[in-house]
Amino acid sequence: MTDTKAESSKTGSHSPPAGSTKNNRDTTSTHTNDLYDSTKGDKTLRRGMRLLGHAIKTEPRVFTISIFGAVLHTTMLVGSAFVTGLIVDRVVIPAAQEERFLVAATAAAVGVLILVSCLRITGMATRRLGAASMQYRMQARYRRKVTDQYLRLPVSWHQKHQTGTLLSNANADVEAAFRPVAPLPFMVGTLSMLVLAMGSLFVMDWMLAMVALALFPVLLIINIIFARKMSPRAARAQRLRAVVSASGHESFDGALVVKAMGKEAEETERFARDADELRDAMIRVGRLRAVFEPAISVLPEMGTLLVLVVGMYRLQSGHIGVDQLVTIAFLFTIMAFPIRAIGWVMGELPVAVVGWNRVNNVLAARGEMPYGDKLTDNKEPATLTFENVAYAYPDGSRALRDITFEVPSGKTVALVGATGSGKSTIASLAVRLADADNGSVKLDGIDTRELTHAALAESIALVPQIAFVFDDTVRGNVTLGRGDYSDEEVWEALRRAQADGFISSNPEGLDAEVGERGTTLSGGQRQRLSLARAMVGQPRLMVLDDATSAVDPKVEAAILAGLRSDQYPASVLVVAYRRATISLADEVVFLREGTIAAHGTHDELMESNSDYADLVSAYEQAEAERVREGEFDEPEDITLQEAQTEVSAK
């Protein structure tokens, strides 16, 4: 699986330019380990508060609405304490003393309680809706930011990060970062209740107010201890989430390889090992929460017991009355809400800070490829020029040295070379998946770094060897959601890619679902569908990185003939292995260890360069073996001349 997934570009001709990153099953992000030292104790609290402040500044309107609801709810909650005290003093005690039911007073009390309850319900609903809206809006905002950043970052950056880790950053880490936003309005609202309650306590009896005030230093100490112990646990849990996500993604992605190699048990054991490690980390987080949350919850209960003891003493000494004691006891009871709300927010802060740091690691990543502002209005087949191009992998190993050649307008140039000679790197530089360290790559005489992104996308199309097919219809896979292509244009692209035959044989035609990663298609069919996707835009330059390796040689000849037709002409840069394909090229660039060893026509190189002749002969023998073993899809008896005639007829 992972051990065979990402072959280094130094040794694999089909790896992207930045593919020198070695696989690492134990590391999910280059920045993760920093979190263990950067999220401790009071630093976590400060960073968490800054995060909450950022959320408030970002969504001030929604936060204000939720705070209004929270203040209304908590004010009515405090008011209910006084209402309860008044009802006891004006209704319950007189009724007990007179031994009769006071109808008018009871009706008035019920009316007041209903009004207070209705206002509390309104405030609670407003607070919850506002808090949920604020949380989900922040999560949606940063999911978009993270995914937009993924699109901006070059292939070299993506090669250093596992797909599962990127999914975890965009999902689990974003969710964790803004989880405290949900209880935040409640906490802020309860602070107003706390102020009202504490003020009322001081007005009624200063000694009982001091008992309440003594709870908060204890609360602060518990939160600091919790944050210091939770931060490393939360960081590890978030990192392991990414590990499990990467492991699961990788397992599903390589399911066919695993089954073909009979490694189901080993892969299951590997995933189980990662999952068990995450489980243990989450249990450690849960155990700490199990200690922290009861400790927070018990504070107001302990305070209520203490205030009752002190309150009885104050009552007997005549400093307070019965109604005041009832009101104070009720106030202590509702003070549990602010303390718990603070506990909820504080309990989420360590995990939120970890998630926020991981999200910021993505947003702060550098390596964007800025585009220029130049356009190309040339409608003729493009001219591609490499001038003294050199490229090195991030680890410093040299991939290309002094590469200079040209793909003339309307011509086909074949790149030929042994594995690791730099063919795929040249293909990637041609479409600007990476930039050269030295020299320049020019399209119609303009450096590709000076062109706009749209100009490059409209002019050049890359078709890689491994064709990616989306879980969509045939039409969706060819157009990729671009609505400016008619069905006639889609069918024309399919015909040029020699894919119209197997598509038209399906009764659903362009609406046929191809399944996830094209599971309903063969390897050659997926490649032809990928070719049609590139051809539908009628690019002026086609870069084929061994894009027809699974297609029968005769079908490949028909495809190349279509690219050379007068109706839709295009220049072609093709990474070639087959002798038939190489012989179709107008020129051949023979690569060896990142340099151009020879340059000329196929016939010239066969006569003048023994290394080239030996390599092509070896390719030819391997191709003959593949034909004997029937590896290609749907072989057709089509000669090149017949293919060209057929394309012209279409």
Side-chain angles (χ1 to χ4, degrees), residues 312-394:
M312 289 302 296
Y313 168 75
R314 301 289 286 175
L315 179 65
Q316 291 175 356
S317 63
H319 290 89
I320 59 173
V322 174
D323 60 326
Q324 290 176 313
L325 179 60
V326 171
T327 300
I328 290 171
F330 195 89
L331 285 174
F332 258 85
T333 301
I334 65 175
M335 281 177 65
F337 288 101
I339 293 175
R340 285 172 182 163
I342 294 170
W344 291 335
V345 173
M346 295 300 181
E348 296 290 351
L349 281 186
V351 179
V353 170
V354 171
W356 180 243
N357 286 348
R358 289 169 63 86
V359 169
N360 271 330
N361 284 338
V362 174
L363 298 180
R366 292 293 174 261
E368 294 94 338
M369 297 177 64
Y371 290 88
D373 56 2
K374 291 187 178 180
L375 302 173
T376 173
D377 55 1
N378 191 344
K379 302 301 180 184
E380 298 298 320
T383 298
L384 179 70
T385 307
F386 276 66
E387 294 182 355
N388 307 117
V389 169
Y391 182 83
Y393 298 121

Side-chain angles (χ1 to χ4, degrees), residues 13 56 61 79 105 128 155 157-158 266 288 328 331 366 377 394 406 487 547 577 608 625:
S13 60
I56 294 170
R61 183 182 303 176
R128 289 188 174 182
V155 174
W157 185 88
H158 285 273
E266 290 84 349
L288 189 57
I328 290 171
L331 285 174
R366 292 293 174 261
D377 55 1
E406 182 177 88
D487 285 358
Y577 293 88
S608 63
E625 183 64 25

Side-chain angles (χ1 to χ4, degrees), residues 251-273:
S251 296
F252 290 121
D253 204 30
L256 294 178
V257 176
V258 172
K259 295 187 73 67
M261 300 293 291
K263 294 293 184 181
E264 294 92 339
E266 290 84 349
E267 192 62 21
T268 301
E269 181 182 354
R270 181 175 73 88
F271 183 79
R273 186 168 58 250

